[in-house]
Amino acid sequence: MELKNLFKASAVATALLLAGCGGDIKVTPTVIDNSVDNSVTNPTTGGGDSGSTNVCASYENTSGETVQGSYDGTDCTYNTAFVSASNPITTDLTLTDLSNDGVHLFLGSLVMGEGCNNESDSCSIETDGPTLTVDAGADVAFNQTTSFILINRGANIEAEGTYADPITFTSSNAYARLDAVGSGPQYQDWGGIMIDGLGITDQCTDAQRAAATCNAVSEGVTSFYGGNDNTDNSGTLKFVKIHYAGGLPSGAEAGNDLNSLSLFAVGSGTEIDYIDIYQGYDDGIEFFGGAVDIKHIVITDTQDDSLDIDAGWQGRAQYVLIKQGTVVNNSGETVSMGNGGFESDGVKGESSAEAPASSPVLANVTVITTDGISVRDGDPSIAMKLDDMISATWYNTLLVKPVATQTWCINYSGDAAEVIVNGSASIHNSVAACAQLANAGSETVTSGSDSTTVQEWFEANSSEVVGGNADVLAANGFATLTTSTDITISAFDASTLDAFFEATDFIGAISDTDTTSDWYNWANDAFVNAAADE
């Protein structure tokens, strides 16, 4: 049963009567279960015993009633009466690691906290909202392409797994007993995770921030984000897998699909570490301002851009591994996945001294591209796209493109020419093993009366272009071959930048000398998983 109204009046009255007689008497209230299953669709979960003790997540609603998921002995199912986009949870909720590989299945969206536009509506932004806790090892699945997880401003998510017990957010079709059609999982099976923070985004003006009326509207799903605190804390995502996301929300325009992980003005108090994103339909991770840092990130076979920087993101990143490739879809067709390894945009709205153009610092990055054209929109597989006054700085970055008959490694457009020429966007101690570095006819970059070439820009800070036939990857296909004779430059010690960065002596996301760390194992598992579906 999914809704349980616990009527305790008679038990409470009895307890009071006995208490009046004195003595240490403990009374266990009798629970009258008047449950009603309000779900529209209940997929067969199989293998369960509906008579088992209910271990599903529960919370107390505003009427004082306990609302709980339905347990079949293996899986927990939560219908839209439990939570949905129009029925958010406003109190703490915990999803435990169910025994026997049980799954928390949501038939709608999982929304924590209430959204608020305090400029147009009579509401107040909750700064100490509910927390969604997801225990290590938990599996959380969705059966609708329109469903998503939304952490509203002031709410938190605490999802901290381990390498041995990661947390998985995925499609219900990844589990045979929950796959009603039997087609298996695929990109766009569900929406993804959205976190709305109180950080700084150029989607609001200085005046709005000063008046505490910053209410930027998110993409895909209408929610509100932004504020004036780039140290805001939205919780923890650690050892988390996000697979088969990128669905189109109900009522959204075509093409306005959700990213696997959307970070809307998320602050630096949030921890995002050890993330595995696979087969998303839109971007892997997109930043809309804020200053959250990320570390140990693997993004494989995402349709659009793997890592999208926008709206004034001021964060840092280290150890980012990106692979574009192919997957076999549910129709049996092999399709190419991936546009940009990076889509790097500096300004999305109104930039100012308080909300400057995106200027993140990134170290130890590997981007492995193909010569394919993305099935999503027909765009080429590119390692790095620069636009809109981006001021990012990359260190120890390895770009790989062995073949280039219709693609290239670095693309720039609009006012990115200015930041390439003046060096506001720069790349240091890095290697481009690219069969073609820039698009034919775009090798020369001109801004005003000044100009440079893409290769000159790339090599300006102890970096080198070595060509697509260079031997730069180890046999596992993702680690940097540290004995490569094609790499003649030295790595940069990123720990000299600040305390966030760790000391490294290699270029790229991971060294071939590492075969035992959690980072190596996390990356290797992601690559093996992706290779199994090529």
Side-chain angles (χ1 to χ4, degrees):
M1 296 297 177
E2 294 210 8
L3 291 183
K4 296 192 174 181
N5 300 331
L6 306 184
F7 298 95
K8 305 178 182 178
S10 62
V12 171
T14 303
L16 289 173
L17 177 61
L18 292 171
C21 298
D24 185 10
I25 300 175
K26 296 182 180 179
V27 178
T28 300
T30 300
V31 177
I32 302 173
D33 187 353
N34 291 326
S35 305
V36 177
D37 187 346
N38 293 296
S39 59
V40 176
T41 305
N42 274 318
T44 300
T45 52
D49 175 9
S50 60
S52 301
T53 301
N54 195 336
V55 297
C56 300
S58 65
Y59 64 91
E60 187 174 283
N61 66 18
T62 55
S63 299
E65 302 163 342
T66 295
V67 187
Q68 189 170 26
S70 173
Y71 186 52
D72 69 357
T74 300
D75 303 313
C76 288
T77 301
Y78 308 90
N79 65 13
T80 53
F82 183 92
V83 64
S84 69
S86 59
N87 178 34
I89 292 176
T90 57
T91 188
D92 293 347
L93 183 74
T94 297
L95 302 178
T96 62
D97 178 16
L98 300 174
S99 60
N100 301 317
D101 296 322
V103 176
H104 294 279
L105 173 63
F106 287 84
L107 306 184
S109 296
L110 173 52
V111 179
M112 297 297 296
E114 294 184 296
C116 171
N117 181 340
N118 67 350
E119 193 169 29
S120 63
D121 302 328
S122 56
C123 61
S124 298
I125 299 171
E126 175 64 70
T127 57
D128 187 19
T131 295
L132 171 64
T133 300
V134 187
D135 289 348
D139 285 7
V140 184
F142 297 82
N143 73 340
Q144 301 289 334
T145 187
T146 57
S147 296
F148 51 87
I149 296 174
L150 170 59
I151 309 299
N152 274 302
R153 283 186 292 189
N156 283 72
I157 180 170
E158 294 294 343
E160 184 168 352
T162 65
Y163 172 68
D165 288 303
I167 293 166
T168 301
F169 298 99
T170 189
S171 162
S172 61
N173 294 334
Y175 308 91
R177 65 185 181 277
L178 302 177
D179 185 0
V181 177
S183 59
Q186 181 180 279
Y187 51 83
Q188 211 175 17
D189 270 356
W190 68 290
I193 300 176
M194 304 169 60
I195 302 178
D196 290 344
L198 291 161
I200 295 172
T201 174
D202 69 10
Q203 295 297 280
C204 292
T205 65
D206 289 349
Q208 287 173 319
R209 279 184 288 273
T213 57
C214 173
N215 297 284
V217 180
S218 62
E219 292 184 356
V221 173
T222 298
S223 64
F224 305 99
Y225 69 97
N228 56 14
D229 182 8
N230 259 355
T231 66
D232 181 41
N233 183 354
S234 294
T236 303
L237 294 176
K238 189 169 185 179
F239 287 106
V240 166
K241 299 182 180 184
I242 308 171
H243 290 186
Y244 307 110
L248 182 67
S250 178
E253 296 180 1
N256 203 10
D257 314 288
L258 294 178
N259 306 306
S260 294
L261 177 59
S262 298
L263 301 172
F264 294 99
V266 174
S268 61
T270 308
E271 182 180 10
I272 297 181
D273 197 3
Y274 288 98
I275 306 297
D276 166 14
I277 292 175
Y278 172 62
Q279 213 176 126
Y281 190 66
D282 206 314
D283 299 329
I285 302 176
E286 184 165 5
F287 302 90
F288 297 83
V292 64
D293 299 322
I294 61 173
K295 194 174 270 189
H296 302 111
I297 308 296
V298 186
I299 305 173
T300 54
D301 298 341
T302 287
Q303 278 281 11
D304 200 359
D305 305 305
S306 298
L307 203 153
D308 193 335
I309 299 165
D310 210 345
W313 179 46
Q314 306 300 320
R316 300 164 294 185
Q318 189 174 25
Y319 309 124
V320 178
L321 179 58
I322 293 168
K323 182 194 80 71
Q324 298 171 347
T326 61
V327 302
V328 178
N329 66 18
N330 288 344
S331 300
E333 304 169 306
T334 299
V335 296
S336 294
M337 305 285 281
N339 291 169
F342 284 87
E343 180 174 351
S344 310
D345 299 311
V347 178
K348 185 178 180 70
E350 185 172 324
S351 184
S352 68
E354 187 176 64
S358 303
S359 55
V361 179
L362 310 97
N364 296 100
V365 176
T366 297
V367 183
I368 301 169
T369 69
T370 73
D371 195 34
I373 302 299
S374 171
V375 67
R376 182 177 190 267
D377 49 22
D379 284 344
S381 169
I382 291 173
M384 183 179 292
K385 298 189 287 187
L386 308 174
D387 199 2
D388 294 330
M389 301 300 292
I390 182 68
S391 295
T393 306
W394 286 267
Y395 294 90
N396 299 338
T397 295
L398 175 62
L399 310 182
V400 180
K401 182 177 287 294
V403 178
T405 64
Q406 56 185 345
T407 64
W408 54 96
C409 259
I410 298 175
N411 197 60
Y412 66 92
S413 56
D415 42 23
E418 180 179 339
V419 296
I420 291 174
V421 171
N422 68 24
S424 296
S426 61
I427 191 159
H428 303 247
N429 302 79
S430 298
V431 174
C434 300
Q436 184 166 331
L437 187 64
N439 192 16
S442 298
E443 297 92 341
T444 299
V445 187
T446 301
S447 176
S449 59
D450 298 321
S451 65
T452 187
T453 68
V454 174
Q455 181 163 345
E456 289 170 344
W457 169 77
F458 190 92
E459 294 183 330
N461 298 286
S462 303
S463 298
E464 63 182 349
V465 177
V466 297
N469 60 351
D471 190 17
V472 296
L473 293 177
N476 60 25
F478 61 87
T480 302
L481 183 64
T482 54
T483 58
S484 172
T485 57
D486 291 316
I487 298 177
T488 64
I489 60 170
S490 299
F492 175 80
D493 181 3
S495 67
T496 60
L497 295 172
D498 63 45
F500 169 80
F501 293 99
E502 300 173 8
T504 56
D505 59 359
F506 58 90
I507 293 165
I510 189 167
S511 168
D512 64 347
T513 62
D514 179 4
T515 58
T516 60
S517 71
D518 280 353
W519 173 224
Y520 164 79
N521 287 314
W522 188 251
N524 185 65
D525 290 351
F527 261 63
V528 170
N529 176 68
D533 202 20
E534 290 183 342

